[in-house]
PDB file of all heavy atoms in Angstrom:
ATOM      1  N   MET I   1     -18.651  14.696  74.019  1.00  0.00           N
ATOM      2  CA  MET I   1     -19.458  14.211  73.000  1.00  0.00           C
ATOM      3  C   MET I   1     -19.754  15.311  71.974  1.00  0.00           C
ATOM      4  O   MET I   1     -19.911  14.960  70.814  1.00  0.00           O
ATOM      5  CB  MET I   1     -20.813  13.748  73.752  1.00  0.00           C
ATOM      6  CG  MET I   1     -21.763  13.183  72.697  1.00  0.00           C
ATOM      7  SD  MET I   1     -21.946  11.546  73.167  1.00  0.00           S
ATOM      8  CE  MET I   1     -23.478  11.218  72.478  1.00  0.00           C
ATOM      9  N   ASP I   2     -19.777  16.541  72.361  1.00  0.00           N
ATOM     10  CA  ASP I   2     -20.027  17.633  71.389  1.00  0.00           C
ATOM     11  C   ASP I   2     -18.829  17.691  70.418  1.00  0.00           C
ATOM     12  O   ASP I   2     -19.070  17.989  69.206  1.00  0.00           O
ATOM     13  CB  ASP I   2     -20.025  18.933  72.120  1.00  0.00           C
ATOM     14  CG  ASP I   2     -21.468  19.473  72.252  1.00  0.00           C
ATOM     15  OD1 ASP I   2     -22.313  18.960  71.583  1.00  0.00           O
ATOM     16  OD2 ASP I   2     -21.636  20.429  73.054  1.00  0.00           O
ATOM     17  N   VAL I   3     -17.697  17.560  70.873  1.00  0.00           N
ATOM     18  CA  VAL I   3     -16.508  17.570  70.041  1.00  0.00           C
ATOM     19  C   VAL I   3     -16.484  16.443  69.029  1.00  0.00           C
ATOM     20  O   VAL I   3     -16.218  16.596  67.826  1.00  0.00           O
ATOM     21  CB  VAL I   3     -15.133  17.572  70.908  1.00  0.00           C
ATOM     22  CG1 VAL I   3     -13.969  17.574  69.983  1.00  0.00           C
ATOM     23  CG2 VAL I   3     -15.184  18.699  71.855  1.00  0.00           C
ATOM     24  N   MET I   4     -16.848  15.319  69.472  1.00  0.00           N
ATOM     25  CA  MET I   4     -16.941  14.113  68.657  1.00  0.00           C
ATOM     26  C   MET I   4     -17.971  14.293  67.531  1.00  0.00           C
ATOM     27  O   MET I   4     -17.704  13.899  66.339  1.00  0.00           O
ATOM     28  CB  MET I   4     -17.209  12.883  69.495  1.00  0.00           C
ATOM     29  CG  MET I   4     -16.982  11.637  68.836  1.00  0.00           C
ATOM     30  SD  MET I   4     -15.239  11.577  68.451  1.00  0.00           S
ATOM     31  CE  MET I   4     -14.820  10.078  69.126  1.00  0.00           C
ATOM     32  N   PHE I   5     -19.111  14.813  67.885  1.00  0.00           N
ATOM     33  CA  PHE I   5     -20.130  15.098  66.938  1.00  0.00           C
ATOM     34  C   PHE I   5     -19.747  16.044  65.883  1.00  0.00           C
ATOM     35  O   PHE I   5     -19.923  15.858  64.662  1.00  0.00           O
ATOM     36  CB  PHE I   5     -21.409  15.589  67.633  1.00  0.00           C
ATOM     37  CG  PHE I   5     -22.586  15.869  66.737  1.00  0.00           C
ATOM     38  CD1 PHE I   5     -23.302  14.772  66.092  1.00  0.00           C
ATOM     39  CD2 PHE I   5     -22.919  17.185  66.402  1.00  0.00           C
ATOM     40  CE1 PHE I   5     -24.289  15.041  65.271  1.00  0.00           C
ATOM     41  CE2 PHE I   5     -23.940  17.408  65.533  1.00  0.00           C
ATOM     42  CZ  PHE I   5     -24.580  16.444  64.949  1.00  0.00           C
ATOM     43  N   VAL I   6     -18.989  17.078  66.219  1.00  0.00           N
ATOM     44  CA  VAL I   6     -18.518  18.145  65.279  1.00  0.00           C
ATOM     45  C   VAL I   6     -17.407  17.516  64.393  1.00  0.00           C
ATOM     46  O   VAL I   6     -17.431  17.742  63.099  1.00  0.00           O
ATOM     47  CB  VAL I   6     -17.888  19.318  66.051  1.00  0.00           C
ATOM     48  CG1 VAL I   6     -17.180  20.290  65.081  1.00  0.00           C
ATOM     49  CG2 VAL I   6     -19.049  20.038  66.824  1.00  0.00           C
ATOM     50  N   LEU I   7     -16.605  16.664  64.941  1.00  0.00           N
ATOM     51  CA  LEU I   7     -15.574  15.991  64.097  1.00  0.00           C
ATOM     52  C   LEU I   7     -16.222  15.074  63.032  1.00  0.00           C
ATOM     53  O   LEU I   7     -15.782  14.997  61.891  1.00  0.00           O
ATOM     54  CB  LEU I   7     -14.642  15.249  64.977  1.00  0.00           C
ATOM     55  CG  LEU I   7     -13.567  16.096  65.671  1.00  0.00           C
ATOM     56  CD1 LEU I   7     -12.794  15.153  66.708  1.00  0.00           C
ATOM     57  CD2 LEU I   7     -12.673  16.750  64.769  1.00  0.00           C
ATOM     58  N   ILE I   8     -17.234  14.310  63.498  1.00  0.00           N
ATOM     59  CA  ILE I   8     -17.911  13.357  62.519  1.00  0.00           C
ATOM     60  C   ILE I   8     -18.646  14.161  61.433  1.00  0.00           C
ATOM     61  O   ILE I   8     -18.481  13.842  60.212  1.00  0.00           O
ATOM     62  CB  ILE I   8     -18.868  12.464  63.333  1.00  0.00           C
ATOM     63  CG1 ILE I   8     -18.089  11.497  64.276  1.00  0.00           C
ATOM     64  CG2 ILE I   8     -19.752  11.696  62.370  1.00  0.00           C
ATOM     65  CD1 ILE I   8     -18.976  10.694  65.104  1.00  0.00           C
ATOM     66  N   VAL I   9     -19.394  15.259  61.814  1.00  0.00           N
ATOM     67  CA  VAL I   9     -20.011  16.061  60.786  1.00  0.00           C
ATOM     68  C   VAL I   9     -18.998  16.672  59.874  1.00  0.00           C
ATOM     69  O   VAL I   9     -19.174  16.804  58.652  1.00  0.00           O
ATOM     70  CB  VAL I   9     -20.962  17.139  61.536  1.00  0.00           C
ATOM     71  CG1 VAL I   9     -21.494  18.095  60.479  1.00  0.00           C
ATOM     72  CG2 VAL I   9     -22.071  16.377  62.213  1.00  0.00           C
ATOM     73  N   THR I  10     -17.925  17.124  60.380  1.00  0.00           N
ATOM     74  CA  THR I  10     -16.879  17.838  59.607  1.00  0.00           C
ATOM     75  C   THR I  10     -16.315  16.767  58.537  1.00  0.00           C
ATOM     76  O   THR I  10     -16.106  17.070  57.431  1.00  0.00           O
ATOM     77  CB  THR I  10     -15.774  18.398  60.440  1.00  0.00           C
ATOM     78  OG1 THR I  10     -16.391  19.255  61.343  1.00  0.00           O
ATOM     79  CG2 THR I  10     -14.813  19.206  59.596  1.00  0.00           C
ATOM     80  N   ALA I  11     -16.016  15.622  59.125  1.00  0.00           N
ATOM     81  CA  ALA I  11     -15.414  14.511  58.204  1.00  0.00           C
ATOM     82  C   ALA I  11     -16.375  14.182  57.127  1.00  0.00           C
ATOM     83  O   ALA I  11     -16.022  13.938  55.941  1.00  0.00           O
ATOM     84  CB  ALA I  11     -15.111  13.278  59.100  1.00  0.00           C
TER      85      ALA I  11
END
Side-chain angles (χ1 to χ4, degrees):
M1 182 115 154
D2 256 347
V3 176
M4 197 59 131
F5 179 73
V6 171
L7 284 176
I8 291 174
V9 170
T10 306

